[in-house]
Amino acid sequence: MDHLYRRGIQNGLTIKKLNRHQLSEMEPNVRGVEAIKVPSAGIVNYQQVSYKIADLIRKQSGDVRCGETVQTITEQTDRITVETDQHTFNGRFLINCAGLHSDRIAYLAGYFIDVQIVPFRGEYYKLKPEKRHLVRNLIYPVPNPDFPFLGVHFTRMIDGEVEAGPNAVLSFKREGYAFTDWDRKDIWDVFRYKGFWHLARKYMREGVSEMARSLSKKKFVSELQKLIPDIQSDDVIPGGAGVRAQALRSDGTLVDDFEIIHGKRSLHVCNAPSPAATASLEIGKEVVRQMMVKEPVW
């Protein structure tokens, strides 16, 4: 926690350390010895943000196409061509921010990078309405420096709901938001990748624990009780799930920073770690800056 505090100060955040008494005043149901208060922390309804961005793009004569699969990408001296299963697009420059499929888009453009996306599904529970008072703010544990995932936490949403989670289990489909979702190609790509087996050997015990929490509500609740002891199994109901596009190198190293690859007429964002959605506008500015530095005539 001291390390997180120092990093926050170095990055110009206005933060404050809380002792046990101050923590209890702010979050009376949380068990802890110390905490860091981050007043600038917040959440957004990102679905609404996405709709607004799409609307702004259309108002500036842009196009938003959904449900098309990219099949080929060809870079030439004066243009780049993208062929999908429905259309052919010609342009001056390509920006790849394809998330769960960003590595595959980079490969289609001819860039064989030492990074592959391995999908991990994060499963959530929600507090029942009568138990939402147990959480006043966003509550996070101190992360385990020996494990790449944050661990379960509590998030008070804009509509008043409180999410609890997630765990982190290997997804058998890149867009596999349900436990039963699977895709043969996605599974094959994971299990034939030597970086995955390096990772699995290193974090075998933690991975088994995450899977156990996925299969057992009792174990999941036990993890929640480390932060809020008063929570019981009857207080939570199943919530949604998300899939983390975890970039992994062939030696098993997790990419925990931005991975941006420059092509001849393309730029590939192959890793954008959390909170990439919340910070998307600033990330977009940096992507454009890098594109302009590479070739100002765009």
Side-chain angles (χ1 to χ4, degrees), residues 212-229:
R213 284 199 293 273
S214 175
L215 298 172
S216 170
K217 181 180 179 181
K218 180 179 179 181
K219 291 184 181 297
F220 198 104
V221 171
S222 176
E223 194 69 18
L224 299 178
Q225 289 172 336
K226 292 180 180 179
L227 284 174
I228 301 181

Side-chain angles (χ1 to χ4, degrees), residues 123-126 163-164 177 236-241:
E123 300 161 327
Y124 289 84
Y125 280 87
K126 295 190 294 186
E163 288 188 346
Y177 297 97
V236 298
I237 56 177

Side-chain angles (χ1 to χ4, degrees), residues 70-205:
V70 176
Q71 295 180 328
T72 65
I73 299 173
T74 306
E75 284 186 314
Q76 297 175 326
T77 56
D78 60 343
R79 69 181 185 274
I80 185 163
T81 301
V82 178
E83 293 187 9
T84 76
D85 55 353
Q86 300 178 37
H87 297 93
T88 297
F89 301 94
N90 290 293
R92 293 179 298 172
F93 201 87
L94 170 69
I95 298 175
N96 164 22
C97 294
L100 285 160
H101 302 281
S102 58
D103 58 336
R104 289 175 175 171
I105 297 297
Y107 295 152
L108 283 175
Y111 301 102
F112 299 97
I113 55 178
D114 183 34
V115 171
Q116 179 172 309
I117 298 298
V118 176
F120 286 89
R121 187 177 61 259
E123 300 161 327
Y124 289 84
Y125 280 87
K126 295 190 294 186
L127 295 190
K128 290 182 176 179
E130 62 270 22
K131 294 295 181 177
R132 293 173 184 170
H133 68 276
L134 294 172
V135 176
R136 295 181 177 180
N137 300 277
L138 311 180
I139 303 171
Y140 289 80
V142 177
N144 178 358
D146 297 324
F147 190 55
F149 300 104
L150 177 60
V152 297
H153 52 272
F154 295 89
T155 306
R156 177 167 284 278
M157 310 302 287
I158 289 176
D159 61 3
E161 284 192 341
V162 176
E163 288 188 346
N167 61 344
V169 296
L170 179 67
S171 175
F172 295 127
K173 185 178 180 181
R174 290 207 181 191
E175 296 181 56
Y177 297 97
F179 186 84
T180 54
D181 287 344
W182 68 281
D183 180 90
R184 183 177 299 174
K185 175 176 171 49
D186 291 347
I187 294 172
W188 172 247
D189 281 353
V190 169
F191 287 139
R192 72 182 178 90
Y193 187 51
K194 63 181 180 180
F196 168 74
W197 294 108
H198 287 307
L199 180 75
R201 282 192 292 270
K202 184 175 182 180
Y203 295 111
M204 178 65 71
R205 179 180 298 178

